[in-house]
Amino acid sequence: MNIAVIGLGLIGGSMALELKQKGFCNYVIGVDNNKEHSESALELKIIDETCSIEEAIKKSELIILSTPVNVSSKIILSILNNIENQILMDVGSTKNELIEKIKSHPKRKNFVATHPIAGTEFSGPSAAHLGLFKNKVTIICDQKDSSSIALDRIKEIYDVLEMKIIFMTAKDHDVHSAYVSHISHISSFSLALSVMDKEKDEKNILNMAGSGFESTVRLAKSNKEMWTPIFNENKKNILEVLDNYIGKLNAFRDAINNNNESALNSLIQEANGIKKILK
Amino acid sequence: MNIAVIGLGLIGGSMALELKQKGFCNYVIGVDNNKEHSESALELKIIDETCSIEEAIKKSELIILSTPVNVSSKIILSILNNIENQILMDVGSTKNELIEKIKSHPKRKNFVATHPIAGTEFSGPSAAHLGLFKNKVTIICDQKDSSSIALDRIKEIYDVLEMKIIFMTAKDHDVHSAYVSHISHISSFSLALSVMDKEKDEKNILNMAGSGFESTVRLAKSNKEMWTPIFNENKKNILEVLDNYIGKLNAFRDAINNNNESALNSLIQEANGIKKILK
């Protein structure tokens, strides 16, 4: 089977590598606006050829849309306009805006909305690697709006990638993502900014940064091309969690400012509840 | 040599294990208010015996004070009152308040203020382990106020633990710690609180938490016994960085609220600067 991968980043590139290695497909056509990415993906043997989107769609049975979420929203209608029997899936971190855009499209049933929860703070085809998805979770959204043929095919992909599939509405997905993923990124970006504001002498950070700081700030290495569109597309949910988060920080601020030990103890003890949820 | 370790937690316990294994000392006397901790440290062979502080001081040549910072501040004067030629070091995460307390004590020179930057989100003697300190950084504060004999001995300890030593005033230490360590903990605690507020159904967190969330929230497992006193002792510096941090979060909030892509891009790109500093 031929597949097309539109967007040759960490996720699209890693999927291409893994699906070919595992024999799900034998030929991968890659499309990326960024010439360097296309060339790098060819060199790294992530893809077998590169061409225009239209050509890639014609030559493939299955298309993986793995561009930043704003690009996906922009091009998904024209992709659907060009497909006949092909199956289209996306892998974006926000779902509702994309799905709203195509809800009355005659080819809606050929599309499956998915979000494999895998990734690192690195990006581009050079970050792609085998094993990225193994034993992680992927979400399929609004599955009733996809045909059973399309759905079965996409489930097969995620089985090949050794991911656990869970099902959710696109709306619920976007709410949970804001709480469990998007806010972590804003928190890390802001932490990096604060520390760099103060620590003009980088040596202090290097010398004093224990592993605690490193893990908390790791996501601040993530790129704007991916994250600015996510923050815009999931605006409503993100503002809700951001306000809640700033509220918690202010609770810490007040407790510290008032030397209120019992309030601090309560806040920390309550936060420790996360131990029961994550190992 | 006999050493006394007052406070048998992760840091004190790990030091005892490592210093004995490497032959720096051959007998460790442990002191801890918490009976379970003392017994567990005996069972785990972290210490050879347990007794009162006064006795432990008498029997030892060197004393490691590794209690939570508020306890250290409370008991340091009485320890100094009891020592003759013994050397005392602490390992706390805040330094200025402790040092202020003893600045005119006749035995001030027997004391060396240190902060090994090592640790995990776990606590107690059962968390103690060999190798915790290797290749990490320790800070010695206000070294001119310690005698050269005491200082040389403590440097020897950190050499044995294979740590890199850097020197700083206690005041500078506390400012940098607020920025590089303490704020990371407040950020993590608050993130855990926000997510748990929303995600009443814990399965959603478990299912959707990618490794990004896990690393950002890891420090939220840290215990109140250690952190409430740190937040209180380093209040002024922590409030400064907390206000700066909340300011950055509000910058993200405004940019998202106004769909201001260029502002979001700038914030993220600036935050990416952390890549140059941390690997």
Side-chain angles (χ1 to χ4, degrees):
Chain A
M1 173 162 68
N2 289 0
I3 68 167
V5 176
I6 302 172
L8 301 168
L10 170 66
I11 298 292
S14 299
M15 279 199 173
L17 278 177
E18 191 105 14
L19 291 176
K20 198 165 163 190
Q21 202 221 29
K22 301 261 179 78
F24 177 85
C25 60
N26 44 26
Y27 196 78
V28 180
I29 302 153
V31 181
D32 201 304
N33 260 349
N34 180 327
K35 267 200 170 178
E36 276 177 41
H37 278 192
S38 306
E39 283 165 19
S40 158
L42 274 171
E43 269 172 41
L44 293 163
K45 305 204 171 168
I46 292 171
I47 58 172
D48 297 294
E49 70 164 277
T50 179
C51 59
S52 69
I53 290 195
E54 295 73 19
E55 246 183 295
I57 295 170
K58 265 187 211 150
K59 288 179 181 171
S60 307
E61 290 163 62
L62 190 143
I63 302 138
I64 297 173
L65 180 58
S66 51
T67 48
V69 293
N70 59 330
V71 178
S72 299
S73 289
K74 260 182 219 148
I75 65 178
I76 192 165
L77 275 173
S78 83
I79 296 174
L80 283 184
N81 290 339
N82 279 294
I83 65 176
E84 293 186 14
N85 295 314
Q86 292 96 323
I87 292 163
L88 173 66
M89 70 183 275
D90 88 311
V91 294
S93 296
T94 59
K95 298 262 76 89
N96 202 45
E97 194 162 320
L98 189 78
I99 281 183
E100 280 295 303
K101 211 151 239 163
I102 58 165
K103 65 179 175 186
S104 51
H105 194 283
K107 294 283 167 64
R108 170 65 182 90
K109 285 197 168 304
N110 294 40
F111 173 70
V112 183
T114 84
H115 178 199
I117 302 184
T120 70
E121 65 273 34
F122 307 110
S123 56
S126 59
H129 59 276
L130 291 169
L132 177 64
F133 305 101
K134 192 171 176 168
N135 297 330
K136 296 191 181 140
V137 164
T138 191
I139 296 168
I140 293 182
C141 292
D142 294 347
Q143 77 270 21
K144 63 175 179 15
D145 297 329
S146 306
S147 73
S148 61
I149 292 172
L151 202 56
D152 286 347
R153 220 351 106 92
I154 300 314
K155 283 185 194 166
E156 199 187 327
I157 285 188
Y158 284 119
D159 283 344
V160 168
L161 297 175
E162 298 178 70
M163 297 192 91
K164 183 189 164 195
I165 303 171
I166 59 174
F167 298 92
M168 218 176 254
T169 64
K171 277 196 175 160
D172 281 349
H173 168 276
D174 286 3
V175 172
H176 295 313
S177 293
Y179 273 82
V180 178
S181 163
H182 305 167
I183 186 67
S184 297
H185 284 80
I186 296 175
S187 156
S188 272
F189 287 133
S190 299
L191 194 62
L193 289 170
S194 283
V195 172
M196 289 190 294
D197 258 8
K198 183 72 180 186
E199 300 290 357
K200 302 278 186 286
D201 179 359
E202 296 176 0
K203 274 185 202 158
N204 284 326
I205 306 185
L206 265 178
N207 281 332
M208 295 193 61
S211 60
F213 176 70
E214 279 198 70
S215 75
T216 320
V217 88
R218 180 171 72 83
L219 299 179
K221 299 173 184 172
S222 305
N223 71 349
K224 63 184 193 303
E225 289 74 16
M226 174 166 175
W227 284 96
T228 292
I230 291 173
F231 295 155
N232 277 328
E233 289 214 351
N234 206 17
K235 172 176 169 174
K236 192 180 136 279
N237 295 316
I238 289 175
L239 288 179
E240 181 187 295
V241 57
L242 198 44
D243 287 340
N244 183 305
Y245 182 56
I246 294 171
K248 301 298 179 191
L249 290 165
N250 277 317
F252 271 94
R253 195 198 184 288
D254 290 344
I256 293 169
N257 196 34
N258 302 325
N259 303 313
N260 188 341
E261 284 182 32
S262 72
L264 274 174
N265 281 337
S266 300
L267 286 165
I268 294 175
Q269 193 155 19
E270 206 188 317
N272 286 167
I274 205 75
K275 278 191 221 176
K276 289 186 207 150
I277 300 168
L278 302 175
K279 277 144 276 166
Chain B
M1 174 162 67
N2 289 0
I3 67 169
V5 176
I6 303 172
L8 300 168
L10 170 67
I11 299 292
S14 299
M15 278 199 174
L17 278 177
E18 190 107 13
L19 291 175
K20 197 165 165 191
Q21 202 220 31
K22 300 259 179 77
F24 177 84
C25 60
N26 43 24
Y27 196 78
V28 180
I29 302 154
V31 181
D32 201 302
N33 261 348
N34 180 327
K35 267 200 169 177
E36 276 178 40
H37 279 192
S38 306
E39 284 164 17
S40 159
L42 274 170
E43 270 173 40
L44 293 163
K45 306 203 170 168
I46 291 171
I47 59 172
D48 299 294
E49 70 164 278
T50 179
C51 59
S52 69
I53 290 194
E54 294 73 19
E55 248 184 291
I57 295 171
K58 265 186 211 153
K59 289 179 180 172
S60 307
E61 290 163 62
L62 190 143
I63 302 139
I64 297 173
L65 179 58
S66 50
T67 48
V69 293
N70 59 329
V71 178
S72 300
S73 289
K74 259 181 223 151
I75 65 179
I76 193 164
L77 274 174
S78 84
I79 296 175
L80 283 184
N81 290 340
N82 280 295
I83 67 178
E84 294 187 13
N85 295 315
Q86 293 96 323
I87 292 164
L88 173 67
M89 70 183 274
D90 88 311
V91 294
S93 296
T94 58
K95 298 263 77 89
N96 202 47
E97 195 162 320
L98 190 77
I99 280 182
E100 280 297 304
K101 210 149 242 164
I102 57 165
K103 66 180 176 188
S104 50
H105 195 283
K107 293 284 167 65
R108 169 65 183 89
K109 284 199 169 303
N110 294 41
F111 173 69
V112 183
T114 84
H115 177 199
I117 302 184
T120 71
E121 65 275 33
F122 307 111
S123 55
S126 60
H129 58 277
L130 291 168
L132 177 66
F133 304 102
K134 189 171 178 168
N135 296 330
K136 296 192 181 138
V137 164
T138 191
I139 296 168
I140 292 182
C141 293
D142 295 347
Q143 77 270 20
K144 62 173 180 16
D145 296 330
S146 306
S147 73
S148 60
I149 292 172
L151 202 57
D152 286 347
R153 222 348 110 92
I154 301 312
K155 284 185 194 167
E156 198 187 327
I157 285 189
Y158 284 119
D159 283 343
V160 168
L161 297 175
E162 299 179 69
M163 297 192 90
K164 183 188 165 196
I165 302 171
I166 60 175
F167 297 91
M168 222 177 252
T169 65
K171 276 197 177 162
D172 280 350
H173 168 275
D174 286 2
V175 172
H176 295 313
S177 293
Y179 274 82
V180 178
S181 164
H182 305 167
I183 185 68
S184 296
H185 284 81
I186 296 175
S187 158
S188 273
F189 287 132
S190 299
L191 194 62
L193 289 170
S194 283
V195 172
M196 289 190 294
D197 258 7
K198 183 74 179 184
E199 301 288 359
K200 303 278 185 285
D201 179 0
E202 295 176 0
K203 275 186 200 157
N204 284 326
I205 306 185
L206 265 178
N207 281 332
M208 294 193 64
S211 59
F213 176 70
E214 279 198 69
S215 75
T216 320
V217 89
R218 180 171 71 83
L219 300 179
K221 300 173 185 171
S222 306
N223 70 350
K224 64 183 191 304
E225 289 74 16
M226 172 166 176
W227 285 97
T228 291
I230 291 174
F231 297 154
N232 277 329
E233 288 214 352
N234 206 15
K235 173 176 169 175
K236 192 181 136 276
N237 295 316
I238 289 176
L239 289 178
E240 181 187 295
V241 57
L242 198 44
D243 287 341
N244 183 306
Y245 182 56
I246 294 171
K248 302 297 181 191
L249 290 165
N250 277 316
F252 271 95
R253 197 201 182 285
D254 290 345
I256 293 168
N257 197 32
N258 302 323
N259 303 312
N260 189 342
E261 283 183 31
S262 72
L264 275 174
N265 280 337
S266 300
L267 286 165
I268 295 175
Q269 193 154 20
E270 205 189 317
N272 286 167
I274 205 75
K275 278 192 222 177
K276 288 186 210 150
I277 300 167
L278 303 175
K279 277 145 274 166

PDB file of all heavy atoms in Angstrom, chain B residues 73-95:
ATOM      1  N   SER B  73      17.003  25.839  61.463  1.00  0.00           N
ATOM      2  CA  SER B  73      17.072  27.174  62.052  1.00  0.00           C
ATOM      3  C   SER B  73      16.796  27.145  63.556  1.00  0.00           C
ATOM      4  O   SER B  73      17.380  27.916  64.322  1.00  0.00           O
ATOM      5  CB  SER B  73      16.045  28.109  61.395  1.00  0.00           C
ATOM      6  OG  SER B  73      16.444  28.415  60.090  1.00  0.00           O
ATOM      7  N   LYS B  74      15.895  26.251  63.948  1.00  0.00           N
ATOM      8  CA  LYS B  74      15.524  26.170  65.358  1.00  0.00           C
ATOM      9  C   LYS B  74      16.628  25.551  66.211  1.00  0.00           C
ATOM     10  O   LYS B  74      16.837  25.965  67.350  1.00  0.00           O
ATOM     11  CB  LYS B  74      14.252  25.315  65.524  1.00  0.00           C
ATOM     12  CG  LYS B  74      12.990  26.130  65.707  1.00  0.00           C
ATOM     13  CD  LYS B  74      11.789  25.195  65.890  1.00  0.00           C
ATOM     14  CE  LYS B  74      10.603  25.707  65.082  1.00  0.00           C
ATOM     15  NZ  LYS B  74       9.704  24.656  64.638  1.00  0.00           N
ATOM     16  N   ILE B  75      17.313  24.544  65.682  1.00  0.00           N
ATOM     17  CA  ILE B  75      18.222  23.782  66.552  1.00  0.00           C
ATOM     18  C   ILE B  75      19.692  24.128  66.368  1.00  0.00           C
ATOM     19  O   ILE B  75      20.534  23.669  67.130  1.00  0.00           O
ATOM     20  CB  ILE B  75      18.020  22.249  66.388  1.00  0.00           C
ATOM     21  CG1 ILE B  75      18.393  21.778  64.975  1.00  0.00           C
ATOM     22  CG2 ILE B  75      16.597  21.847  66.737  1.00  0.00           C
ATOM     23  CD1 ILE B  75      18.242  20.260  64.779  1.00  0.00           C
ATOM     24  N   ILE B  76      20.013  24.952  65.389  1.00  0.00           N
ATOM     25  CA  ILE B  76      21.440  25.157  65.108  1.00  0.00           C
ATOM     26  C   ILE B  76      22.185  25.831  66.275  1.00  0.00           C
ATOM     27  O   ILE B  76      23.342  25.496  66.556  1.00  0.00           O
ATOM     28  CB  ILE B  76      21.662  25.920  63.777  1.00  0.00           C
ATOM     29  CG1 ILE B  76      23.149  25.823  63.384  1.00  0.00           C
ATOM     30  CG2 ILE B  76      21.169  27.362  63.860  1.00  0.00           C
ATOM     31  CD1 ILE B  76      23.451  26.180  61.968  1.00  0.00           C
ATOM     32  N   LEU B  77      21.500  26.754  66.959  1.00  0.00           N
ATOM     33  CA  LEU B  77      22.182  27.429  68.071  1.00  0.00           C
ATOM     34  C   LEU B  77      22.541  26.441  69.175  1.00  0.00           C
ATOM     35  O   LEU B  77      23.666  26.444  69.690  1.00  0.00           O
ATOM     36  CB  LEU B  77      21.301  28.549  68.632  1.00  0.00           C
ATOM     37  CG  LEU B  77      21.438  29.891  67.908  1.00  0.00           C
ATOM     38  CD1 LEU B  77      20.415  30.897  68.442  1.00  0.00           C
ATOM     39  CD2 LEU B  77      22.858  30.457  68.044  1.00  0.00           C
ATOM     40  N   SER B  78      21.586  25.571  69.486  1.00  0.00           N
ATOM     41  CA  SER B  78      21.879  24.625  70.569  1.00  0.00           C
ATOM     42  C   SER B  78      22.944  23.616  70.140  1.00  0.00           C
ATOM     43  O   SER B  78      23.728  23.133  70.965  1.00  0.00           O
ATOM     44  CB  SER B  78      20.599  23.940  71.064  1.00  0.00           C
ATOM     45  OG  SER B  78      20.287  22.851  70.245  1.00  0.00           O
ATOM     46  N   ILE B  79      23.006  23.307  68.852  1.00  0.00           N
ATOM     47  CA  ILE B  79      24.087  22.424  68.392  1.00  0.00           C
ATOM     48  C   ILE B  79      25.439  23.130  68.573  1.00  0.00           C
ATOM     49  O   ILE B  79      26.377  22.570  69.149  1.00  0.00           O
ATOM     50  CB  ILE B  79      23.891  22.013  66.917  1.00  0.00           C
ATOM     51  CG1 ILE B  79      22.613  21.177  66.747  1.00  0.00           C
ATOM     52  CG2 ILE B  79      25.102  21.212  66.419  1.00  0.00           C
ATOM     53  CD1 ILE B  79      22.280  20.831  65.307  1.00  0.00           C
ATOM     54  N   LEU B  80      25.500  24.362  68.112  1.00  0.00           N
ATOM     55  CA  LEU B  80      26.767  25.105  68.248  1.00  0.00           C
ATOM     56  C   LEU B  80      27.159  25.261  69.716  1.00  0.00           C
ATOM     57  O   LEU B  80      28.345  25.212  70.069  1.00  0.00           O
ATOM     58  CB  LEU B  80      26.666  26.481  67.572  1.00  0.00           C
ATOM     59  CG  LEU B  80      26.766  26.511  66.036  1.00  0.00           C
ATOM     60  CD1 LEU B  80      26.739  27.948  65.529  1.00  0.00           C
ATOM     61  CD2 LEU B  80      28.022  25.804  65.523  1.00  0.00           C
ATOM     62  N   ASN B  81      26.158  25.457  70.572  1.00  0.00           N
ATOM     63  CA  ASN B  81      26.449  25.570  72.008  1.00  0.00           C
ATOM     64  C   ASN B  81      27.090  24.300  72.564  1.00  0.00           C
ATOM     65  O   ASN B  81      27.808  24.344  73.554  1.00  0.00           O
ATOM     66  CB  ASN B  81      25.165  25.844  72.807  1.00  0.00           C
ATOM     67  CG  ASN B  81      24.644  27.253  72.546  1.00  0.00           C
ATOM     68  OD1 ASN B  81      25.390  28.127  72.089  1.00  0.00           O
ATOM     69  ND2 ASN B  81      23.362  27.477  72.817  1.00  0.00           N
ATOM     70  N   ASN B  82      26.792  23.177  71.922  1.00  0.00           N
ATOM     71  CA  ASN B  82      27.271  21.888  72.430  1.00  0.00           C
ATOM     72  C   ASN B  82      28.571  21.398  71.813  1.00  0.00           C
ATOM     73  O   ASN B  82      29.106  20.386  72.246  1.00  0.00           O
ATOM     74  CB  ASN B  82      26.186  20.823  72.237  1.00  0.00           C
ATOM     75  CG  ASN B  82      25.129  20.897  73.327  1.00  0.00           C
ATOM     76  OD1 ASN B  82      25.418  20.660  74.497  1.00  0.00           O
ATOM     77  ND2 ASN B  82      23.924  21.286  72.959  1.00  0.00           N
ATOM     78  N   ILE B  83      29.037  22.056  70.748  1.00  0.00           N
ATOM     79  CA  ILE B  83      30.231  21.503  70.124  1.00  0.00           C
ATOM     80  C   ILE B  83      31.504  22.089  70.714  1.00  0.00           C
ATOM     81  O   ILE B  83      31.512  23.195  71.266  1.00  0.00           O
ATOM     82  CB  ILE B  83      30.237  21.665  68.583  1.00  0.00           C
ATOM     83  CG1 ILE B  83      30.349  23.120  68.146  1.00  0.00           C
ATOM     84  CG2 ILE B  83      29.041  21.007  67.958  1.00  0.00           C
ATOM     85  CD1 ILE B  83      30.410  23.243  66.620  1.00  0.00           C
ATOM     86  N   GLU B  84      32.570  21.307  70.602  1.00  0.00           N
ATOM     87  CA  GLU B  84      33.876  21.827  71.026  1.00  0.00           C
ATOM     88  C   GLU B  84      34.714  22.079  69.777  1.00  0.00           C
ATOM     89  O   GLU B  84      34.756  23.182  69.262  1.00  0.00           O
ATOM     90  CB  GLU B  84      34.531  20.825  71.967  1.00  0.00           C
ATOM     91  CG  GLU B  84      33.720  20.742  73.257  1.00  0.00           C
ATOM     92  CD  GLU B  84      34.393  19.895  74.323  1.00  0.00           C
ATOM     93  OE1 GLU B  84      35.591  19.563  74.164  1.00  0.00           O
ATOM     94  OE2 GLU B  84      33.725  19.567  75.302  1.00  0.00           O
ATOM     95  N   ASN B  85      35.327  20.989  69.276  1.00  0.00           N
ATOM     96  CA  ASN B  85      36.095  21.161  68.047  1.00  0.00           C
ATOM     97  C   ASN B  85      35.419  20.581  66.818  1.00  0.00           C
ATOM     98  O   ASN B  85      35.973  20.601  65.729  1.00  0.00           O
ATOM     99  CB  ASN B  85      37.469  20.508  68.205  1.00  0.00           C
ATOM    100  CG  ASN B  85      38.267  21.228  69.269  1.00  0.00           C
ATOM    101  OD1 ASN B  85      38.302  22.461  69.298  1.00  0.00           O
ATOM    102  ND2 ASN B  85      38.874  20.460  70.168  1.00  0.00           N
ATOM    103  N   GLN B  86      34.231  20.018  67.039  1.00  0.00           N
ATOM    104  CA  GLN B  86      33.554  19.370  65.917  1.00  0.00           C
ATOM    105  C   GLN B  86      33.241  20.366  64.791  1.00  0.00           C
ATOM    106  O   GLN B  86      33.056  21.554  65.018  1.00  0.00           O
ATOM    107  CB  GLN B  86      32.232  18.731  66.363  1.00  0.00           C
ATOM    108  CG  GLN B  86      32.393  17.561  67.286  1.00  0.00           C
ATOM    109  CD  GLN B  86      32.250  17.984  68.735  1.00  0.00           C
ATOM    110  OE1 GLN B  86      32.693  19.079  69.121  1.00  0.00           O
ATOM    111  NE2 GLN B  86      31.640  17.128  69.519  1.00  0.00           N
ATOM    112  N   ILE B  87      33.146  19.802  63.614  1.00  0.00           N
ATOM    113  CA  ILE B  87      32.748  20.592  62.449  1.00  0.00           C
ATOM    114  C   ILE B  87      31.280  20.303  62.169  1.00  0.00           C
ATOM    115  O   ILE B  87      30.836  19.160  62.240  1.00  0.00           O
ATOM    116  CB  ILE B  87      33.615  20.209  61.235  1.00  0.00           C
ATOM    117  CG1 ILE B  87      35.059  20.666  61.490  1.00  0.00           C
ATOM    118  CG2 ILE B  87      33.078  20.836  59.958  1.00  0.00           C
ATOM    119  CD1 ILE B  87      36.053  20.010  60.563  1.00  0.00           C
ATOM    120  N   LEU B  88      30.543  21.381  61.853  1.00  0.00           N
ATOM    121  CA  LEU B  88      29.115  21.248  61.553  1.00  0.00           C
ATOM    122  C   LEU B  88      28.851  21.746  60.140  1.00  0.00           C
ATOM    123  O   LEU B  88      29.351  22.804  59.748  1.00  0.00           O
ATOM    124  CB  LEU B  88      28.308  22.082  62.560  1.00  0.00           C
ATOM    125  CG  LEU B  88      26.799  22.204  62.322  1.00  0.00           C
ATOM    126  CD1 LEU B  88      26.100  20.856  62.500  1.00  0.00           C
ATOM    127  CD2 LEU B  88      26.176  23.255  63.250  1.00  0.00           C
ATOM    128  N   MET B  89      28.121  20.985  59.379  1.00  0.00           N
ATOM    129  CA  MET B  89      27.683  21.486  58.069  1.00  0.00           C
ATOM    130  C   MET B  89      26.179  21.286  57.961  1.00  0.00           C
ATOM    131  O   MET B  89      25.614  20.398  58.605  1.00  0.00           O
ATOM    132  CB  MET B  89      28.362  20.725  56.922  1.00  0.00           C
ATOM    133  CG  MET B  89      27.900  19.287  56.781  1.00  0.00           C
ATOM    134  SD  MET B  89      28.789  18.360  55.471  1.00  0.00           S
ATOM    135  CE  MET B  89      27.818  18.793  54.043  1.00  0.00           C
ATOM    136  N   ASP B  90      25.525  22.136  57.155  1.00  0.00           N
ATOM    137  CA  ASP B  90      24.119  21.860  56.847  1.00  0.00           C
ATOM    138  C   ASP B  90      23.997  21.641  55.347  1.00  0.00           C
ATOM    139  O   ASP B  90      24.948  21.867  54.583  1.00  0.00           O
ATOM    140  CB  ASP B  90      23.212  23.004  57.323  1.00  0.00           C
ATOM    141  CG  ASP B  90      23.070  24.068  56.263  1.00  0.00           C
ATOM    142  OD1 ASP B  90      24.118  24.495  55.730  1.00  0.00           O
ATOM    143  OD2 ASP B  90      21.945  24.466  55.924  1.00  0.00           O
ATOM    144  N   VAL B  91      22.831  21.178  54.936  1.00  0.00           N
ATOM    145  CA  VAL B  91      22.615  20.869  53.516  1.00  0.00           C
ATOM    146  C   VAL B  91      21.288  21.456  53.019  1.00  0.00           C
ATOM    147  O   VAL B  91      20.721  20.989  52.034  1.00  0.00           O
ATOM    148  CB  VAL B  91      22.604  19.338  53.281  1.00  0.00           C
ATOM    149  CG1 VAL B  91      23.953  18.731  53.562  1.00  0.00           C
ATOM    150  CG2 VAL B  91      21.527  18.660  54.140  1.00  0.00           C
ATOM    151  N   GLY B  92      20.818  22.510  53.688  1.00  0.00           N
ATOM    152  CA  GLY B  92      19.469  23.029  53.415  1.00  0.00           C
ATOM    153  C   GLY B  92      19.354  23.835  52.129  1.00  0.00           C
ATOM    154  O   GLY B  92      20.333  24.361  51.607  1.00  0.00           O
ATOM    155  N   SER B  93      18.119  23.990  51.684  1.00  0.00           N
ATOM    156  CA  SER B  93      17.847  24.671  50.417  1.00  0.00           C
ATOM    157  C   SER B  93      17.738  26.187  50.549  1.00  0.00           C
ATOM    158  O   SER B  93      17.606  26.884  49.554  1.00  0.00           O
ATOM    159  CB  SER B  93      16.535  24.152  49.831  1.00  0.00           C
ATOM    160  OG  SER B  93      16.645  22.788  49.525  1.00  0.00           O
ATOM    161  N   THR B  94      17.701  26.714  51.781  1.00  0.00           N
ATOM    162  CA  THR B  94      17.786  28.162  51.970  1.00  0.00           C
ATOM    163  C   THR B  94      18.907  28.405  52.968  1.00  0.00           C
ATOM    164  O   THR B  94      19.161  27.576  53.842  1.00  0.00           O
ATOM    165  CB  THR B  94      16.475  28.769  52.519  1.00  0.00           C
ATOM    166  OG1 THR B  94      16.170  28.138  53.766  1.00  0.00           O
ATOM    167  CG2 THR B  94      15.325  28.548  51.566  1.00  0.00           C
ATOM    168  N   LYS B  95      19.585  29.528  52.829  1.00  0.00           N
ATOM    169  CA  LYS B  95      20.808  29.702  53.614  1.00  0.00           C
ATOM    170  C   LYS B  95      20.810  30.940  54.488  1.00  0.00           C
ATOM    171  O   LYS B  95      21.378  30.941  55.573  1.00  0.00           O
ATOM    172  CB  LYS B  95      22.027  29.780  52.666  1.00  0.00           C
ATOM    173  CG  LYS B  95      22.239  28.520  51.838  1.00  0.00           C
ATOM    174  CD  LYS B  95      23.276  27.573  52.435  1.00  0.00           C
ATOM    175  CE  LYS B  95      22.853  26.740  53.588  1.00  0.00           C
ATOM    176  NZ  LYS B  95      22.259  25.451  53.286  1.00  0.00           N
TER     177      LYS B  95
END
